[in-house]
Amino acid sequence: IVDRIDDNKDGYLTTEELKNWIKRVQKRYIYENVAKVWKDYDINKDDKIAWEEYKQATYGYYLEEFQDATDQHSFKKMLPRDERRFKAADLDGDLAATREEFTAFLHPEEFEHMKNIVVLETLEDIDKNGDGFVDQDEYIADMFANEEGGPEPDWVITEREQFSDFRDLNKDGKMDKEEIQHWILPQDYDHALAEARHLVYESDVDKDQKLTKEEVLDNWNMFVGSQATNYGEDLTRNHDE
């Protein structure tokens, strides 16, 4: 894997090479994921997945009979949400998804034109009082359930400060859609670059801003826990790239 990350074959891994590799691994994971489920949904084998095909494959059983009231409730909530997301991904509006459109449906956070859907779904998940905003308590409740009603742990208090200082940009005590987008899809943050910098910082013993194979292998556990090796999975697969 080190040899394949080293694009210019100079024996060193730079932050840029690591960043490009991590983006590649992420992309490969997404397309493999789509390929894995494609045949389950493309029932008529026309190399497109129609909304009706997806609906039947996912909800067919529920469309005919409901198990109980809880099933019925979650079904009624999920079906329109899936349909809305499917239509957003279906750029040509023919209600049949190509591979690329279906990839946008399954992994909307990776596609620019799906950002609004990601924000909307996040808002709907966290906004318990249905006012169209996420207040501080809703924000905390998404991460921490204080069932005993006792004092909050330190990290929760820190998160409350984060909410006031960095999430609620216009200081009105709640997050609107724009602030939610800034939180979950920040434009000025590249997670692949951040991960690459972290790997170099933690493994670069001689501090020359690049890694030798020895430096990587000496800190192998850092890489096994990283997206650079698909969290260790790539170490056991046959490589055909």
Side-chain angles (χ1 to χ4, degrees):
I1 288 176
V2 173
D3 291 338
R4 284 155 59 223
I5 299 172
D6 180 15
D7 259 351
N8 63 2
K9 307 298 172 210
D10 67 350
Y12 294 99
L13 303 190
T14 62
T15 303
E16 184 69 12
E17 285 172 332
L18 272 164
K19 179 193 81 173
N20 293 341
W21 176 260
I22 289 166
K23 284 185 188 285
R24 195 170 147 192
V25 169
Q26 171 69 0
K27 223 182 195 86
R28 190 191 67 212
Y29 161 75
I30 287 168
Y31 285 101
E32 280 179 356
N33 175 247
V34 171
K36 205 185 294 178
V37 300
W38 184 266
K39 58 184 183 306
D40 299 334
Y41 295 117
D42 182 17
I43 293 155
N44 66 3
K45 305 292 174 242
D46 66 346
D47 214 33
K48 276 189 164 193
I49 293 171
W51 164 245
E52 285 302 319
E53 286 179 310
Y54 178 81
K55 188 167 81 170
Q56 278 304 323
T58 309
Y59 297 102
Y61 172 72
Y62 295 104
L63 293 169
E64 283 145 36
E65 54 174 301
F66 294 114
Q67 284 292 81
D68 58 35
T70 28
D71 273 0
Q72 186 170 1
H73 175 71
S74 60
F75 157 76
K76 282 193 160 164
K77 201 171 147 194
M78 290 307 296
L79 181 60
R81 182 168 160 145
D82 268 357
E83 185 169 11
R84 182 181 66 193
R85 191 197 279 196
F86 192 95
K87 285 177 174 171
D90 177 29
L91 286 174
D92 59 9
D94 64 352
L95 281 182
T98 61
R99 291 233 170 202
E100 191 68 5
E101 288 171 336
F102 198 63
T103 304
F105 171 69
L106 288 185
H107 299 276
E109 65 289 343
E110 298 296 321
F111 291 80
E112 191 63 35
H113 66 280
M114 298 295 285
K115 277 186 174 175
N116 288 346
I117 286 286
V118 177
V119 170
L120 194 54
E121 289 181 4
T122 305
L123 172 62
E124 288 169 352
D125 286 342
I126 304 178
D127 173 24
K128 298 302 181 211
N129 66 8
D131 67 350
F133 298 94
V134 172
D135 62 37
Q136 192 183 97
D137 287 336
E138 288 168 336
Y139 172 77
I140 295 298
D142 186 52
M143 308 176 225
F144 173 71
N146 194 353
E147 283 153 20
E148 288 86 47
E152 290 180 337
D154 287 350
W155 70 266
V156 172
I157 295 161
T158 305
E159 275 301 335
R160 285 192 183 278
E161 289 165 8
Q162 287 277 328
F163 183 92
S164 304
D165 296 344
F166 303 111
R167 308 280 179 243
D168 176 20
L169 298 172
N170 63 5
K171 309 301 177 204
D172 64 353
K174 55 197 178 185
M175 280 196 282
D176 56 25
K177 284 183 191 165
E178 210 172 296
E179 288 164 330
I180 290 169
Q181 178 163 331
H182 193 270
W183 167 39
I184 57 170
L185 300 167
Q187 280 192 306
D188 50 359
Y189 181 76
D190 181 337
H191 74 89
L193 179 58
E195 175 76 352
R197 282 177 175 158
H198 172 63
L199 289 169
V200 171
Y201 178 79
E202 293 291 343
S203 311
D204 181 19
V205 178
D206 61 8
K207 301 298 172 205
D208 63 352
Q209 299 297 308
K210 51 192 178 181
L211 303 181
T212 61
K213 189 183 287 190
E214 288 66 35
E215 285 175 325
V216 173
L217 296 180
D218 286 345
N219 204 6
W220 61 270
N221 56 334
M222 176 69 63
F223 285 81
V224 170
S226 162
Q227 213 174 349
T229 62
N230 197 12
Y231 307 104
E233 278 186 37
D234 281 4
L235 301 173
T236 58
R237 60 186 280 155
N238 293 322
H239 298 292
D240 48 9
E241 296 173 72

